[in-house]
Amino acid sequence: MKNCQEFFAGGNTCRGFYSLFRYISGPKTDRLIIIKGGPGTGKSTLMKQVGQQAREKNLFTELFYCSSDQNSLDGLSVPALGLVLVDGTAPHAIDPKIPGAYDEIINLGDCWDAAALRPFKEEIAALIHKNGEWFTQAYQYLQEAEIVLEKIRYFVRQAMDYPALAQMTHRLLNQLVASLPAATGKRQERHLFGGAITPGGLINFYPSIFQDIKRFYLLIGDHGSGKSTLLRHIHEAVAGAGHDTTVYRCAFDPDRCDAVVIPALQTAFVKATYPHSFALPSSQPLQEQHILALGRFTKPAILKSFAAERAESQDRFWYLLEKAVAMIRNARENHHQLETFYTRSMDFGKVAAVRQKLLNLI
């Protein structure tokens, strides 16, 4: 999609639902519109229409998709206007902090006919309860998968040559800091998700996110080889030098990093082993691409001695991940059923008036 970037601001993770919604707004945001309303009331459609209108006016937009339905929007930012729209309903409930002066609420619940919903109270309550059950099971599978993944990391750690890895890291960080221009102004830091565990499986928006990147460092290596730790050191070194960074958290475990972008250098350090793989358009010019193969710091003989256990654990991990995706998919289908009750009760003429009010801002 032209003139925009796509991200996730929330994720279905081994820590449960994890929100980074606070990073949608930036230092130049002067108007935050929080959209409330039940499922099927048009929150995502409203944001898509406003975003489309902005792009038609050649305004750059940031689109934040929903990890529980990758076709729906959870947020929209139009930086040139200082405008942010967010879905303020659970599980990422948001309330105004400076009502009226900075943030305001648009409640699409004002556009439904409550009398038309009341006869279906029990059916709606049952679907809401079932949705919670599907997500509970999804997060249980992801928590179990984290235990298995830690076992895989354990095997790899036994084979790592950490002194050699530390030497490489020291050289890399020195070279990186030396290449940075002099820092000016107050640095900004942002944390988002580049990918997510969705009803459609594991997906990422890296081609969109990296559209302005000219220099790539692709990190490859098994779980436990130190990729996340290296990314954390890179982020800390650049931040310590006073420069902006964007950190992309791991879609599975948000306590870990998947990528770090350094705008001042148009450089990205990113994990490039499955499921972090991505393909950039052939038209995107690249100046440099480097491979950081952390697997070269492992001792093959030790790694081989754990081969059977590693293979068994890897199979178990992917089985659990697939089960989690199935639960999230069930939740989405359940959510679609829930939406039908609200869609039937909506006065979309009133919604159109709300939309026009927002379009007038653009």
Side-chain angles (χ1 to χ4, degrees):
M1 191 181 298
K2 292 183 179 179
N3 210 18
C4 81
Q5 283 184 302
E6 299 165 302
F7 316 87
F8 292 99
N12 300 305
T13 78
C14 68
R15 316 291 174 200
F17 179 79
Y18 197 94
S19 174
L20 294 171
F21 270 59
R22 63 191 180 278
Y23 291 104
I24 294 179
S25 299
K28 296 182 180 179
T29 302
D30 55 30
R31 190 166 190 179
L32 171 64
I33 297 176
I34 303 165
I35 306 174
K36 302 279 190 178
T41 55
K43 299 185 296 296
S44 174
T45 300
L46 181 61
M47 287 187 279
K48 286 180 178 179
Q49 290 170 336
V50 173
Q52 179 62 34
Q53 180 75 15
R55 288 189 294 279
E56 289 175 1
K57 299 291 185 182
N58 293 318
L59 295 172
F60 174 77
T61 62
E62 295 180 328
L63 305 178
F64 300 87
Y65 283 86
C66 174
S67 58
S68 298
D69 184 350
Q70 66 272 22
N71 296 315
S72 295
L73 282 185
D74 272 347
L76 165 73
S77 174
V78 188
L81 299 180
L83 175 66
V84 168
L85 280 67
V86 293
D87 181 341
T89 57
H92 35 74
I94 302 171
D95 291 309
K97 294 181 179 178
I98 315 175
Y102 172 72
D103 39 19
E104 61 184 278
I105 290 177
I106 289 179
N107 188 359
L108 296 184
D110 294 337
C111 303
W112 66 39
D113 180 359
L117 290 168
R118 289 191 191 101
F120 303 102
K121 176 182 175 182
E122 292 184 4
E123 291 93 331
I124 291 171
L127 286 168
I128 291 172
H129 178 73
K130 191 62 180 177
N131 229 48
E133 289 185 337
W134 288 129
F135 277 111
T136 295
Q137 292 185 65
Y139 298 146
Q140 287 171 341
Y141 280 121
L142 291 174
Q143 288 164 8
E144 187 177 350
E146 166 60 13
I147 295 171
V148 176
L149 188 57
E150 184 57 30
K151 186 176 182 181
I152 296 171
R153 295 189 190 113
Y154 168 79
F155 293 135
V156 174
R157 288 183 189 124
Q158 306 312 302
M160 288 296 295
D161 183 350
Y162 285 111
L165 175 58
Q167 290 179 8
M168 184 278 289
T169 301
H170 182 70
R171 289 195 301 270
L172 176 65
L173 296 180
N174 283 342
Q175 293 169 3
L176 177 61
V177 171
S179 69
L180 289 167
T184 58
K186 183 179 179 181
R187 65 173 298 273
Q188 302 295 327
E189 182 171 313
R190 202 179 194 191
H191 294 253
L192 294 168
F193 290 109
I197 301 171
T198 76
L202 280 73
I203 66 173
N204 67 60
F205 290 130
Y206 283 159
S208 169
I209 290 168
F210 296 146
Q211 59 186 278
D212 297 322
I213 299 300
K214 299 292 192 295
R215 184 181 295 104
F216 282 93
Y217 289 81
L218 305 178
L219 280 62
I220 59 175
D222 294 329
H223 295 293
S225 59
K227 300 187 298 297
S228 289
T229 301
L230 179 57
L231 288 170
R232 176 169 54 81
H233 287 318
I234 289 166
H235 161 62
E236 291 171 350
V238 176
H243 280 274
D244 295 354
T245 54
T246 303
V247 178
Y248 292 94
R249 303 282 191 92
C250 174
F252 176 77
D253 181 355
D255 291 342
R256 297 173 180 271
C257 300
D258 275 350
V260 175
V261 170
I262 307 165
L265 298 177
Q266 292 184 292
T267 295
F269 289 81
V270 56
K271 294 178 183 175
T273 49
Y274 183 82
H276 309 96
S277 51
F278 61 95
L280 298 173
S282 57
S283 58
Q284 181 169 337
L286 295 180
Q287 293 178 358
E288 298 177 31
Q289 180 170 293
H290 306 272
I291 304 294
L292 298 178
L294 273 61
R296 65 191 176 94
F297 299 105
T298 56
K299 300 171 184 177
I302 297 177
L303 207 57
K304 186 176 180 180
S305 68
F306 295 117
E309 292 90 342
R310 287 178 66 215
E312 179 183 347
S313 295
Q314 286 167 351
D315 288 344
R316 178 67 179 167
F317 172 79
W318 289 111
Y319 167 78
L320 292 167
L321 200 61
E322 287 171 4
K323 292 292 287 185
V325 168
M327 296 300 105
I328 296 169
R329 188 180 302 121
N330 289 343
R332 181 187 61 179
E333 297 308 315
N334 187 80
H335 189 78
H336 285 171
Q337 293 180 50
L338 188 60
E339 287 178 334
T340 61
F341 290 100
Y342 288 88
T343 302
R344 291 198 304 260
S345 75
M346 291 296 291
D347 182 340
F348 284 102
K350 290 183 179 179
V351 176
V354 173
R355 178 177 67 247
Q356 190 57 50
K357 175 186 175 182
L358 293 175
L359 294 179
N360 289 342
L361 296 176
I362 296 174

